[in-house]
Amino acid sequence: MQDRCSLVHFRLTTMIHMLSALKSLLKSKKLHIDHWAFRLHYRFTVLFLLLFCIVVSTKQYAGDPIRCSKDTREYSTIVENYCFITSTYTVKTALNLTVSEGAPHPGIYPTQDEQQFRYHRYYQWVGFILFIQAVFFYVPHWLWKIFEGGKLSSLLERDTKYLPREEQVKSRNMIVEHLRSRWTKDKLFVVKYLLCEIWCFINLFGQMTFLDTVFEHEYFCFGFEVLNHYRNGSPPRTDPFQRMFPKVTSCTYRYFGEGGKIRSESVLCVLAVNVMNEKIFLFLWFWFMMLSVVTFCALVFKIVVFSVTSLRLTLLCARFPNIRADDFKVIVETGNLSNYLFVYLLGQNMDEAGFLDAIEYFVTMQRGKLN
């Protein structure tokens, strides 16, 4: 009893920590040190994964994820725990059989040929899988925060928009001094940023491959199969949900019978937890696909912009139209890619007047240096 209470206490503590993490993700941050496509990975994706992890874990540990019985009159908690731990199965050749053909449910058939069994073990690990995925999606942001080193937060720690002019000038001078001290020197800044965004794309492919392995190489096409199934109005027994996330499965329960002989019973199990699992992983399939397209396009766009000087100038003028093109031309022509990225990040976190003041003052000093 004491061990069970300790386990419940541990699970509740874990839930509280995860809810705290969700709360921090929901907070709107004033300082953005990256691109909006980057934020889709470590904010929204991590938020979804942790939320799903909490929902599934609550069902598994506080609800009834599985109910088993070898007939309609007998119910045993021991059998349920055994089947949940050791996994259940469906019969592959019986997925498309009807009731008249001897299959009361898709994949349920009285056969002892274990080569026809498809075992379903993933439901024991769904909560852990979702949590580990959330960690991997957060890692690129964690690394970028280390690489960025808090430079932007130290320069923009105060909102100077409503401060006296002397405070605004002091803040501007600090920003300009930082730009001058690092101008053309910190060449790896942009490389580190690109590596983190590339990691995001590689991680997406890795997560899809991982889930495809978990679901026996059927996850890559899962969303397409679901769309085709419901669009074509296929029979319910060809539903991909039934194949990957069956709600009714079989379990072989072995025990000692009379005379010490080992007896074997085939029991019917209802996996209520799969009602949520199928929807969670379908949503994640569409989300990962959308995120892959967005991330790839963002990466290609950045590589093209970083490769063409005129595009960098055009992008800065379009993003910050209140600043003269001649001022941005000095920044693009005298600085390197890391300087360009840092100036862009500065601009997206400063008010227009403050950014204009800082750029004009910096460009004036650069022109004097060139002359």
Side-chain angles (χ1 to χ4, degrees), residues 138-293:
Y138 191 80
V139 165
H141 172 63
W142 174 71
L143 284 175
W144 174 237
K145 285 177 68 176
I146 294 175
F147 294 150
E148 192 269 338
K151 298 181 183 70
L152 286 169
S153 60
S154 63
L155 293 173
L156 306 174
E157 58 183 350
R158 292 192 303 168
D159 186 1
T160 60
K161 186 175 181 179
Y162 302 105
L163 293 179
R165 178 57 185 169
E166 55 269 20
E167 292 295 327
Q168 294 179 355
V169 171
K170 184 179 178 181
S171 177
R172 179 204 65 185
N173 292 343
M174 184 172 63
I175 293 172
V176 171
E177 184 60 31
H178 177 83
L179 288 175
R180 293 187 68 196
S181 66
R182 306 302 302 170
W183 204 249
T184 70
K185 295 178 182 178
D186 192 4
K187 296 181 181 180
L188 293 179
F189 186 77
V190 69
V191 175
K192 294 172 182 176
Y193 181 78
L194 279 176
L195 285 176
C196 289
E197 289 217 346
I198 291 171
W199 181 319
C200 288
F201 184 74
I202 294 174
N203 177 61
L204 263 174
F205 182 76
Q207 297 294 343
M208 289 291 290
T209 304
F210 171 64
L211 290 178
D212 191 59
T213 303
V214 170
F215 295 113
E216 300 185 18
H217 308 291
E218 292 189 347
Y219 192 70
F220 270 125
C221 299
F222 177 48
F224 295 127
E225 288 189 8
V226 171
L227 290 175
N228 289 333
H229 175 79
Y230 288 102
R231 183 180 59 188
N232 299 330
S234 303
R237 288 175 176 264
T238 62
D239 190 340
F241 285 134
Q242 297 285 6
R243 187 174 68 253
M244 293 176 62
F245 302 96
K247 286 78 172 176
V248 182
T249 58
S250 297
C251 174
T252 301
Y253 177 61
R254 297 179 177 88
Y255 60 97
F256 286 109
E258 296 178 2
K261 294 182 179 180
I262 296 178
R263 297 189 61 181
S264 178
E265 295 283 355
S266 181
V267 299
L268 202 66
C269 296
V270 177
L271 288 173
V273 71
N274 268 354
V275 174
M276 291 186 298
N277 286 339
E278 64 179 12
K279 295 170 179 61
I280 286 172
F281 286 104
L282 180 64
F283 172 84
L284 289 179
W285 187 91
F286 283 107
W287 177 256
F288 287 169
M289 286 296 178
M290 181 277 294
L291 201 56
S292 299
V293 174

Side-chain angles (χ1 to χ4, degrees), residues 54-70:
I54 291 173
V55 171
V56 171
S57 299
T58 302
K59 180 65 177 175
Q60 281 193 193
Y61 300 124
D64 295 314
I66 187 172
R67 302 295 289 269
C68 300
S69 177
K70 67 179 182 180

